[in-house]
């Protein structure tokens, strides 16, 4: 960049949905789509995204713990992620594509596990008082279909994936509740459609945000 040239802040896009909704492969497509358009894209995930965050991810996914410990560790990892990765990238003008963010804590910890919503709001307010994603793509799928997809993958499951279908249904409903409260930011995508249809929908949605 030449001196005096102003580079605008990048966009922050998150991918959300219950386990098995298929967001991760579409996220990879979206990153490729943006890169093809000449954007500098940083692809990251939560929990994780930093060396400390990845260690916390390991614990969160495999170690039993109290619900509030779980919520605190998720937001601790998020603080680190924001400070070291997300904010600097947005400041540079890069686009940040993140696999899950605080909507997941609302859905899983409050919706799924019953964390007091006031405590969730306090953590969110503490850790990122002035930041929300510019766009969130929420992959919505009935939990029974998502459960069948996970079983079909025939691999070792983490603590969240092993939860019963009614847990995932509560997570799903909390996601939809959050989307209804922020319709400008959260775009609900019916994940029970052909991958090409979903890919096109995502590209169109992202392209509208790029202009
Ligand atoms: P992933 O499998 O999509 O990478 O996500 C890992 C798991 O972590 C997923 O089952 C959801 C869970 N999770 C929460 O419970 N709360 C959160 O805030 C985040 C970011 C993830």
């Amino acid at each position: 960049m030449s001196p005096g040239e102003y580079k605008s802040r990048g966009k922050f896009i998150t991918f959300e949905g219950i386990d098995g909704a298929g967001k991760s492969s579409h996220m990879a497509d979206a990153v490729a789509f943006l890169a093809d358009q000449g954007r500098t894209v940083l692809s990251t995930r939560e929990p994780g995204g930093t060396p400390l965050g990845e260690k916390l991810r390991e614990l969160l996914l495999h170690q039993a713990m109290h619900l509030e410990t779980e919520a605190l560790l998720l937001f601790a990892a998020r603080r680190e992620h924001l400070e070291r990765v997300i904010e600097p990238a947005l400041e540079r003008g890069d686009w940040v594509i993140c696999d899950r963010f605080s909507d997941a804590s609302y859905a899983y910890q409050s919706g799924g596990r019953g964390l007091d919503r006031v405590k969730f709001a306090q953590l969110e307010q503490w850790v990122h008082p002035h930041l929300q994603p510019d766009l969130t793509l929420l992959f919505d799928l009935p939990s029974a279909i998502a459960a069948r997809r996970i079983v079909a993958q025939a691999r070792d499951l983490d603590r969240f994936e092993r939860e019963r279908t009614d847990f995932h249904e509560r997570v799903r409903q909390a996601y939809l509740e959050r989307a209804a409260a922020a319709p400008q930011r959260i775009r609900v995508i019916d994940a029970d459609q052909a991958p090409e249809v979903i890919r096109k929908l995502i590209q169109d949605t992202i392209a509208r945000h790029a202009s």
Side-chain angles (χ1 to χ4, degrees):
M1 220 175 3
S2 59
E5 189 183 333
Y6 175 74
K7 192 161 187 205
S8 60
R9 190 176 158 86
K11 301 266 186 194
F12 182 29
I13 301 181
T14 57
F15 280 61
E16 297 280 359
I18 59 172
D19 294 281
K23 65 181 166 47
S24 299
S25 55
H26 288 295
M27 185 171 138
D29 284 342
V31 169
F33 173 70
L34 280 165
D36 280 351
Q37 295 196 328
R39 306 267 175 201
T40 307
V41 189
L42 185 125
S43 171
T44 186
R45 69 173 180 181
E46 292 208 347
T50 64
L52 175 61
E54 291 295 328
K55 285 185 180 160
L56 293 174
R57 178 187 176 91
E58 206 39 45
L59 287 171
L60 282 157
L61 264 49
H62 302 291
Q63 163 83 54
M65 62 184 78
H66 187 274
L67 157 62
E68 292 186 356
T69 309
E70 182 176 289
L72 288 163
L73 288 181
L74 282 158
F75 273 94
R78 186 161 295 137
R79 187 73 199 89
E80 196 73 7
H81 197 198
L82 281 162
E83 179 70 21
R84 297 187 187 277
V85 176
I86 297 176
E87 283 289 1
L90 294 173
E91 285 298 317
R92 286 195 304 270
D94 296 353
W95 284 46
V96 176
I97 309 288
C98 191
D99 194 343
R100 302 191 186 279
F101 192 62
S102 290
D103 296 320
S105 305
Y106 182 86
Y108 280 81
Q109 278 64 53
S110 283
R113 298 225 197 276
L115 175 73
D116 183 323
R117 279 172 164 69
V118 173
K119 287 185 177 162
F120 164 81
Q122 286 169 340
L123 286 170
E124 190 179 38
Q125 178 64 25
W126 182 13
V127 170
H128 54 99
H130 307 299
L131 179 87
Q132 283 293 346
D134 295 293
L135 172 68
T136 295
L137 298 167
L138 170 57
F139 287 73
D140 181 54
L141 192 66
S143 45
I145 301 180
R148 283 202 291 278
R149 287 188 185 175
I150 290 175
V151 169
Q153 290 168 9
R155 57 178 171 78
D156 286 347
L157 303 183
D158 65 44
R159 239 160 42 82
F160 296 95
E161 292 167 326
R162 278 201 304 271
E163 288 284 351
R164 293 153 42 121
T165 306
D166 58 337
F167 169 86
H168 290 286
E169 194 54 40
R170 287 198 301 281
V171 173
R172 179 190 185 204
Q173 293 309 325
Y175 265 132
L176 292 173
E177 192 182 290
R178 185 102 162 146
Q184 302 293 333
R185 171 173 73 83
I186 304 179
R187 175 81 195 266
V188 181
I189 292 175
D190 174 1
D192 196 13
Q193 303 182 82
E196 318 79 73
V197 176
I198 297 178
R199 194 171 304 127
K200 174 87 174 60
L201 205 63
I202 293 171
Q203 291 183 356
D204 291 348
T205 307
I206 289 179
R208 269 200 301 282
H209 267 75
S211 52

